[in-house]
Amino acid sequence: MLTSASYYLGTSDVDKILSWTPNEFQALIKGAKLREVDVLDNLAMAAVFYRVANNKKKLNPKKDLFDAETARKRILSDESDEWKESKEYDLTYYNKAKEAMNSWALNLNKKE
């Protein structure tokens, strides 16, 4: 218990740790693990942003990476669950490819 508190929560104050109930301790550990997942997710997104930025000839950060202004507006207007989806994607090619694959699959099923 003390090792986990020190590792995940960054505290080695024994009195403080022992003052927590088992449920509080488990909740704090779960929160610390979720924070680690968020850090890794942010690193993964940074790698994607770096790759996009490195391979684009003309880069518009607001359009190609992340629109922080839209995210801020969504947070302030209580749309806090959707603030990360502030970049709009052009799905034209995806939708065309999806339709083509569906029609190909339908034709394949008709031949059998």
Side-chain angles (χ1 to χ4, degrees):
M1 183 170 149
L2 295 176
T3 306
S4 294
S6 178
Y7 180 76
Y8 289 109
L9 305 173
T11 183
S12 57
D13 184 0
V14 178
D15 292 332
K16 182 178 181 180
I17 295 167
L18 294 177
S19 71
W20 298 327
T21 65
N23 287 337
E24 289 173 332
F25 178 74
Q26 292 300 323
L28 290 169
I29 294 295
K30 190 181 288 186
K33 288 178 180 178
L34 289 171
R35 183 176 51 238
E36 279 189 41
V37 169
D38 283 344
V39 167
L40 292 174
D41 185 40
N42 288 338
L43 288 172
M45 289 305 294
V48 169
F49 287 165
Y50 177 77
R51 170 132 184 167
V52 168
N54 237 6
N55 292 318
K56 283 262 188 178
K57 291 183 180 179
K58 290 186 178 182
L59 181 70
N60 180 349
K62 192 175 197 176
K63 181 181 174 194
D64 297 326
L65 298 177
F66 184 72
D67 187 357
E69 184 178 322
T70 303
R72 286 186 194 101
K73 286 179 184 176
R74 286 183 177 179
I75 290 171
L76 294 174
S77 68
D78 294 329
E79 295 178 33
S80 58
D81 292 338
E82 300 172 4
W83 68 269
K84 286 186 179 180
E85 285 79 31
S86 63
K87 179 178 184 259
E88 294 184 17
Y89 296 95
D90 182 14
L91 300 176
T92 307
Y93 295 118
Y94 168 76
N95 290 331
K96 285 182 181 179
K98 188 175 173 183
E99 288 175 20
M101 290 300 288
N102 285 339
S103 65
W104 177 78
L106 290 174
N107 288 336
L108 185 64
N109 289 335
K110 287 180 183 177
K111 290 180 182 178
E112 293 177 354

